[in-house]
Coordinates of all heavy atoms in Angstrom, one line a residue:
D116 N -2.4 -3.8 20.2 CA -2.4 -3.7 21.6 C -3.8 -4.2 22.1 O -4.6 -3.3 21.9 CB -1.8 -2.4 22.1 CG -1.8 -2.2 23.5 OD1 -2.6 -2.7 24.2 OD2 -0.9 -1.4 24.0
Y117 N -4.0 -5.3 22.6 CA -5.2 -5.7 23.0 C -5.2 -6.7 24.2 O -4.1 -7.1 24.7 CB -6.0 -6.3 21.8 CG -5.7 -7.6 21.2 CD1 -6.3 -8.9 21.6 CD2 -4.5 -7.8 20.6 CE1 -6.0 -10.1 21.2 CE2 -4.0 -9.0 20.1 CZ -4.8 -10.2 20.3 OH -4.4 -11.4 19.9
S118 N -6.3 -6.7 25.0 CA -6.6 -7.5 26.1 C -5.9 -6.9 27.3 O -6.4 -6.5 28.2 CB -6.2 -8.9 25.9 OG -6.7 -9.8 27.0
S119 N -4.6 -6.6 27.1 CA -3.7 -6.0 28.1 C -4.3 -6.1 29.6 O -4.7 -5.1 30.2 CB -3.5 -4.5 27.7 OG -3.0 -4.5 26.5
V120 N -4.2 -7.2 30.2 CA -4.6 -7.5 31.5 C -3.8 -7.0 32.6 O -2.7 -6.7 32.3 CB -4.9 -9.0 31.7 CG1 -6.2 -9.4 30.9 CG2 -3.8 -9.8 31.3
N121 N -4.3 -6.9 33.7 CA -3.5 -6.4 34.9 C -3.1 -7.5 35.8 O -3.9 -8.4 36.0 CB -4.3 -5.4 35.7 CG -4.7 -4.2 34.7 OD1 -3.8 -3.6 33.9 ND2 -5.9 -3.8 34.8
H130 N -13.1 -7.3 30.2 CA -12.0 -7.7 29.3 C -12.4 -8.4 28.0 O -11.6 -8.7 27.2 CB -10.9 -8.4 30.0 CG -10.2 -7.7 31.0 ND1 -10.3 -8.1 32.4 CD2 -9.5 -6.5 31.0 CE1 -9.7 -7.1 33.0 NE2 -9.1 -6.4 32.4
H156 N -0.1 -5.4 26.6 CA 0.5 -4.5 27.2 C 0.2 -4.7 28.8 O -0.7 -3.9 29.3 CB 0.2 -3.1 26.8 CG 0.9 -2.0 27.3 ND1 2.2 -1.5 26.9 CD2 0.5 -1.0 28.2 CE1 2.5 -0.4 27.5 NE2 1.5 0.0 28.4
L157 N 0.8 -5.6 29.3 CA 0.4 -6.0 30.8 C 0.5 -4.9 31.7 O 1.4 -4.1 31.8 CB 1.4 -7.1 31.3 CG 1.4 -8.5 30.5 CD1 2.4 -9.4 31.2 CD2 0.0 -9.2 30.7
G158 N -0.6 -4.9 32.6 CA -0.5 -3.9 33.7 C 0.4 -4.6 34.9 O -0.2 -5.2 35.6
E255 N 3.9 -2.9 31.1 CA 4.3 -1.6 31.5 C 5.6 -1.6 32.3 O 6.5 -0.6 32.0 CB 3.2 -1.1 32.6 CG 1.9 -0.7 31.9 CD 0.9 0.0 32.9 OE1 1.3 0.8 33.7 OE2 -0.3 -0.3 32.8
Y305 N 1.1 6.3 33.6 CA 0.5 5.5 32.6 C 0.9 6.1 31.2 O 1.5 5.3 30.3 CB -0.9 5.4 32.8 CG -1.7 4.5 31.8 CD1 -1.3 3.2 31.7 CD2 -2.9 5.0 31.2 CE1 -2.2 2.4 30.9 CE2 -3.8 4.1 30.5 CZ -3.3 2.8 30.3 OH -4.1 2.1 29.5
D309 N 3.2 4.6 28.0 CA 2.6 4.4 26.7 C 3.5 5.1 25.6 O 3.5 4.6 24.6 CB 1.1 4.9 26.7 CG 0.2 3.8 26.7 OD1 0.6 2.7 26.1 OD2 -0.9 3.8 27.3
A312 N 6.4 3.1 25.1 CA 6.0 1.9 24.4 C 5.9 2.2 22.9 O 6.3 1.4 22.0 CB 4.7 1.3 25.0
R316 N 8.0 0.4 20.0 CA 7.2 -0.3 18.9 C 7.6 0.2 17.5 O 7.7 -0.6 16.6 CB 5.8 -0.2 19.1 CG 5.2 -1.0 20.2 CD 3.8 -0.9 20.5 NE 3.5 -1.4 21.8 CZ 2.3 -1.2 22.4 NH1 1.3 -0.7 21.9 NH2 2.1 -1.8 23.7
Y327 N -4.8 0.4 19.3 CA -4.9 0.2 20.7 C -6.3 -0.2 20.9 O -7.2 0.7 20.7 CB -4.7 1.4 21.4 CG -3.2 1.8 21.4 CD1 -2.8 2.6 20.3 CD2 -2.2 1.6 22.5 CE1 -1.3 3.0 20.3 CE2 -0.9 1.9 22.3 CZ -0.6 2.7 21.2 OH 0.8 3.0 21.2
V328 N -6.6 -1.4 21.3 CA -8.1 -1.8 21.4 C -8.6 -1.7 22.8 O -8.1 -2.5 23.7 CB -8.3 -3.3 21.0 CG1 -9.7 -3.6 20.9 CG2 -7.7 -3.5 19.4
V329 N -8.9 -0.5 23.1 CA -9.1 -0.2 24.5 C -10.5 0.6 24.7 O -10.9 1.3 23.7 CB -8.0 0.8 25.2 CG1 -8.3 1.1 26.6 CG2 -6.8 0.1 24.9
Q333 N -11.1 5.4 28.0 CA -9.7 5.9 27.9 C -9.4 6.8 26.7 O -8.3 7.1 26.4 CB -8.7 4.8 27.9 CG -8.7 4.1 29.1 CD -7.5 3.1 29.5 OE1 -6.6 3.2 28.9 NE2 -7.7 2.0 30.2
H336 N -7.0 9.7 27.3 CA -5.7 9.2 27.5 C -4.9 9.1 26.2 O -3.9 9.6 26.0 CB -5.7 7.9 28.4 CG -4.5 7.2 28.1 ND1 -3.3 7.7 28.9 CD2 -4.0 6.1 27.5 CE1 -2.3 6.8 28.6 NE2 -2.8 5.8 27.9
F337 N -5.6 8.5 25.1 CA -5.1 8.2 23.9 C -4.9 9.6 23.1 O -3.9 9.8 22.5 CB -5.8 7.1 23.2 CG -5.5 5.8 23.7 CD1 -6.6 5.2 24.6 CD2 -4.3 5.2 23.5 CE1 -6.2 3.9 25.1 CE2 -4.0 4.0 24.0 CZ -5.0 3.2 24.9
F340 N -1.8 11.4 24.6 CA -0.4 11.0 24.4 C -0.1 10.9 22.9 O 1.0 11.2 22.4 CB 0.1 9.8 25.2 CG -0.2 8.4 24.7 CD1 0.7 8.0 23.7 CD2 -1.2 7.7 25.1 CE1 0.4 6.7 23.2 CE2 -1.4 6.4 24.6 CZ -0.6 5.9 23.5
Ligands
LIG1 N1 -4.3 -2.5 31.5 C1 -4.9 -1.3 31.1 C2 -6.3 -1.3 31.7 O1 -6.8 -2.3 32.2 C3 -5.2 -1.4 29.6 C4 -3.9 -1.1 28.8 C5 -4.2 -0.7 27.3 N2 -3.0 -0.5 26.6 C6 -2.2 0.5 26.6 N3 -1.3 0.6 25.8 N4 -2.6 1.6 27.4 O2 -6.9 -0.3 31.8

Side-chain angles (χ1 to χ4, degrees):
D116 176 325
Y117 69 107
S118 198
S119 301
V120 286
N121 300 319
H130 295 113
H156 187 75
L157 294 176
E255 295 187 29
Y305 186 47
D309 255 327
R316 288 174 194 172
Y327 299 83
V328 186
V329 183
Q333 295 192 28
H336 164 70
F337 286 101
F340 89 78

